[in-house]
Amino acid sequence: MEQQGTDQQAGISRVTTGMPVVDVTGVEVGTVDLVQRGDPNALTVQASTAPTADPGGSLDELIESAAAEEPDVPADLAARLLRTGYLKVSTDHAPTGAVYVLADQIAAVADGRVRLDVLAASLPAEE
């Protein structure tokens, strides 16, 4: 199990923004907008009940509040994406213009493109 996580991180670490993404059948999904490596310690995603940081807040607080906006999916899926790592892909296949790819859905990164092991239609769309 540990080895699989390492393999997933190795695959996602070779992905760069702008790369084309194709699904398991070779259908063009779109292009990579964002690459987020996994964090096995990201167990939950919780909506903040604290008031927003004042303008005098620290840089860390600013980064945390900005990071909380991605991925824009339901909380249970967001937690999974944050744990495994994910790609955000610009696409014409979703009404919102973007879908998310879990690191474990990446079959290969070769020839300057990302090949998935799932169908484009099965990818969760940005909300």
Side-chain angles (χ1 to χ4, degrees), residues 24-35:
V24 68
T25 63
V27 170
E28 179 96 17
V29 177
T31 56
V32 176
D33 262 358
L34 174 69
V35 178

Side-chain angles (χ1 to χ4, degrees), residues 73-74 77 81 94 96 98-102 105 120-127:
V73 292
L77 177 58
L81 288 167
T96 55
V99 293
Y100 292 94
V101 175
L102 286 156
Q105 295 174 317
S122 70
L123 298 171
E126 179 178 43
E127 291 194 334

